[in-house]
Amino acid sequence: MAQYKVLFESKEEIYGVVPRAYDLVHYSTKLEIKNGGKYPVSLEMSFVPPHPYAFNMPEKHSIKAQSITDAYSKVLKFFDKFGVVLER
């Protein structure tokens, strides 16, 4: 298996809101872009407590994608499963 070099690495903060209860959801993420492979973009998400009142969010979530746009669309789908929308 080929080893690809990391071209770009960034720490990101993603916030969401549960509209029905107005609870905040916060994930600290690490965005990595490599110079090749089927999915060169990876996003490692770690939950930052406290959990929303109604349910618990997963502590860790990993996303692999072909582009940064694709990665963030997968974040939106992940949040949508729990009824969370991105905070503006």
Side-chain angles (χ1 to χ4, degrees):
M1 185 173 194
Q3 292 292 332
Y4 298 107
K5 291 183 181 178
V6 175
L7 297 177
F8 181 77
E9 186 175 297
S10 174
K11 184 176 179 180
E12 306 287 331
E13 303 296 322
I14 300 176
Y15 293 91
V17 174
V18 180
R20 57 192 160 137
Y22 201 72
D23 281 336
L24 277 172
V25 174
H26 178 201
Y27 275 92
S28 180
T29 66
K30 179 179 156 188
L31 173 67
E32 257 187 15
I33 302 173
K34 296 183 181 176
N35 66 347
K38 187 172 182 181
Y39 298 110
V41 177
S42 66
L43 191 65
E44 300 294 327
M45 302 171 62
S46 299
F47 184 76
V48 179
H51 285 280
Y53 178 74
F55 54 88
N56 286 338
M57 294 293 291
E59 294 290 325
K60 303 259 184 215
H61 186 68
S62 178
I63 294 175
K64 301 224 183 272
Q66 294 178 349
S67 67
I68 294 174
T69 305
D70 187 31
Y72 279 98
S73 71
K74 290 181 180 185
V75 169
L76 289 174
K77 288 179 187 176
F78 170 70
F79 275 179
D80 193 43
K81 285 194 310 189
F82 296 97
V84 177
V85 295
L86 285 182
E87 187 176 55
R88 295 180 192 216

